[in-house]
Amino acid sequence: KSAEEQGAWRVREMEERCAAVCRHHAGEVHGLQRRLAEQIEECLGQANATRRVLLESRIRADDHVSQQMQETRAESVRRLTSATEALSAAREQREQARDFAAARGHEAEDFCEGVRRGQIVETYAVADGIRNFIESMPHGERMDRPSFVQALEELARRLRSGTFLRPAPRLP
């Protein structure tokens, strides 16, 4: 029996050692799992904190970009409005200048036409003066100087016919 007892005692000792090793390893594994869970929890906390910081940064960046876009849009609208007003003012000035030029052109035409009529009246008066001069000449003098009288009559006829007058050119 002693060999049997010794064998049983060794088996029990081995079982106890195995149980102790299993308990030790179970404690180690449990401690390792607990430390690993704590590290995972810590990493998750850091990841969540980083995610919140990133989200806040994104919101701030989006707000900043949105504000810049609004300022740029407002500046563009101001510039467009200013350019539109300047264009409208320039068009109005152009219309006023065109109307002014047309009015001055008509006035110049009327003035030139008046001057032309005055010249015609004066030319007719000169022609009448020449005829009167010829008629006031004594008959003998007229007969003595027929070429002079003929030249004066031709001059009076040409003055009356407007051969010397050229109409003023038309304005475009």
Side-chain angles (χ1 to χ4, degrees):
K1 258 188 161 191
S2 78
E4 231 179 82
E5 280 181 17
Q6 257 185 347
W9 182 74
R10 278 188 179 159
V11 167
R12 253 190 316 227
E13 191 177 313
M14 285 292 239
E15 285 176 353
E16 285 176 12
R17 278 187 192 168
C18 280
V21 167
C22 281
R23 280 191 304 274
H24 174 71
H25 284 296
E28 285 292 318
V29 166
H30 183 67
L32 185 61
Q33 286 176 342
R34 192 180 72 248
R35 285 191 306 273
L36 188 58
E38 288 171 359
Q39 287 177 353
I40 289 173
E41 288 292 326
E42 184 180 328
C43 284
L44 285 175
Q46 288 176 352
N48 284 336
T50 302
R51 194 168 134 218
R52 278 192 301 274
V53 168
L54 286 174
L55 182 61
E56 290 171 1
S57 294
R58 181 178 175 191
I59 289 171
R60 281 194 309 270
D62 287 348
D63 290 345
H64 181 71
V65 167
S66 176
Q67 182 179 359
Q68 282 181 333
M69 286 176 56
Q70 287 175 349
E71 290 172 0
T72 302
R73 188 178 302 124
E75 179 63 25
S76 296
V77 166
R78 279 193 293 273
R79 286 183 180 177
L80 179 63
T81 302
S82 175
T84 302
E85 290 171 356
L87 180 61
S88 294
R91 284 180 177 158
E92 180 64 29
Q93 287 176 349
R94 181 189 66 197
E95 288 299 318
Q96 289 174 354
R98 185 180 296 152
D99 293 345
F100 179 78
R104 292 309 158 276
H106 293 305
E107 288 175 7
E109 267 183 25
D110 293 345
F111 176 78
C112 288
E113 184 63 26
V115 168
R116 186 174 163 286
R117 285 187 184 131
Q119 288 173 343
I120 290 171
V121 167
E122 288 176 13
T123 304
Y124 283 178
V126 169
D128 290 342
I130 291 172
R131 286 200 191 272
N132 289 339
F133 176 75
I134 293 171
E135 289 175 6
S136 70
M137 284 177 71
H139 183 66
E141 188 179 341
R142 272 190 278 171
M143 292 303 200
D144 288 340
R145 301 175 59 190
S147 60
F148 176 68
V149 172
Q150 185 179 4
L152 285 177
E153 286 176 344
E154 177 64 20
L155 178 60
R157 186 189 61 72
R158 288 182 80 186
L159 287 173
R160 279 232 176 250
S161 68
T163 307
F164 292 112
L165 299 178
R166 290 187 199 149
R170 300 291 294 167
L171 291 176

